[in-house]
Amino acid sequence: MNRKRKITEDTEISGTDKTIIDFWNWGFSDLLSNSLRGIFAEFLVGNALDCLNESRVEWDTYDLVYRGKKIEVKSAAYVQSWHTDTFSKISFNIGVKREYSYTTRKYSTEMKRHADIYVFCLLKEKDIDTLDPLEMSHWEFYIVLTKELDERFPSQKSISLASLSKIAKPVKYAEIKLKINGFT
C-alpha cells in the first residue's frame, strides 16, 4: 500500500464488502485504552493547533510540528478501559530516548528529549457513567517547555501529576493554541 495514499471513510477494502470505516469502528473505538487514548490525545492537540497536515508517524521522537517547534504529547486517565475499583495513579513518561532515522534505519547514539514542548493530556473525568473522551470538558492539558523538564528533572523517566502541577497549570482544550503561541 502506498503510505501517502489518502484514505477516507468510504475507501473500500478490496475483495471484501467492507470499507475502512468498518475496520476503524471495529478496531479503534475504545478511546479509554492506553495506546489509543494516547493517539487520540495527539490528534486533539494537533487539531487544536491546526497542524494535522501530515499523517502520524509511529515511533517518531516527537508527535507534532507547530510553527517549527517539535511537540511531544503524553496522555493519562484516572479510568481505564479495564475499569477497576480504584483510579489510576497519574504519571507521564518524560524519559530520554534515541532518535530513529527512517532513512538509515538506525537509532542515534544520543539520548535526549527531542521535542521543544510537551503537552500532557489528562482525561480527568472520574465518573465512569458520564466519562466521555469525546467531551473536551473531560480533559485538561498541561504545557511545558522541554528545557524546563531538562532543568528540573534531567534524569527522570516519568513525572507525577503532583510534580507537573508545580510547574504548569492546566488549560482547557480551547486554550491550547494560545498557550503554545506564548512559547513560540
Side-chain angles (χ1 to χ4, degrees):
M1 179 179 139
N2 180 347
R3 290 179 55 147
K4 301 291 182 185
R5 177 181 172 193
K6 178 73 172 161
I7 298 175
T8 62
E9 64 184 45
D10 58 347
T11 299
E12 294 179 0
I13 301 172
S14 179
T16 75
D17 63 346
K18 301 295 181 191
T19 64
I20 197 68
I21 196 71
D22 296 313
F23 168 65
W24 291 338
N25 285 332
W26 174 81
F28 301 99
S29 294
D30 183 6
L31 296 178
L32 288 180
S33 73
N34 285 353
S35 58
L36 194 52
R37 185 190 63 246
I39 295 168
F40 185 63
E42 291 172 23
F43 174 81
L44 291 177
V45 173
N47 188 60
L49 298 173
D50 194 27
C51 65
L52 296 173
N53 313 15
E54 299 291 323
S55 294
R56 181 177 182 275
V57 177
E58 188 80 20
W59 302 111
D60 229 349
T61 52
Y62 51 87
D63 300 310
L64 303 164
V65 177
Y66 174 69
R67 292 188 168 181
K69 299 291 184 185
K70 296 176 266 185
I71 298 174
E72 181 72 12
V73 178
K74 299 294 182 181
S75 79
Y78 289 106
V79 177
Q80 308 298 321
S81 58
W82 62 87
H83 182 65
T84 64
D85 293 334
T86 58
F87 296 120
S88 294
K89 181 182 173 192
I90 303 300
S91 69
F92 300 91
N93 182 334
I94 59 168
V96 299
K97 55 187 174 181
R98 298 180 199 279
E99 184 172 27
Y100 181 75
S101 168
Y102 287 91
T103 305
T104 64
R105 296 185 182 140
K106 294 182 182 179
Y107 286 95
S108 68
T109 56
E110 182 182 26
M111 299 283 288
K112 70 176 196 172
R113 295 178 180 122
H114 295 272
D116 301 303
I117 299 169
Y118 274 68
V119 180
F120 301 97
C121 309
L122 175 60
L123 184 55
K124 66 180 182 169
E125 181 60 48
K126 294 180 178 179
D127 183 343
I128 190 70
D129 295 324
T130 61
L131 176 61
D132 183 356
L134 300 175
E135 175 58 54
M136 289 307 100
S137 66
H138 290 196
W139 291 86
E140 58 188 18
F141 303 87
Y142 298 78
I143 301 169
V144 179
L145 290 171
T146 303
K147 68 181 180 181
E148 187 163 7
L149 293 175
D150 289 342
E151 289 168 7
R152 292 179 181 250
F153 312 102
S155 59
Q156 271 187 229
K157 295 180 180 179
S158 65
I159 186 170
S160 68
L161 182 58
S163 293
L164 180 59
S165 296
K166 291 177 184 174
I167 62 170
K169 298 299 175 221
V171 299
K172 296 176 181 172
Y173 174 78
E175 301 168 325
I176 293 171
K177 191 173 198 172
L178 182 63
K179 180 72 173 180
I180 289 181
N181 283 344
F183 291 146
T184 58

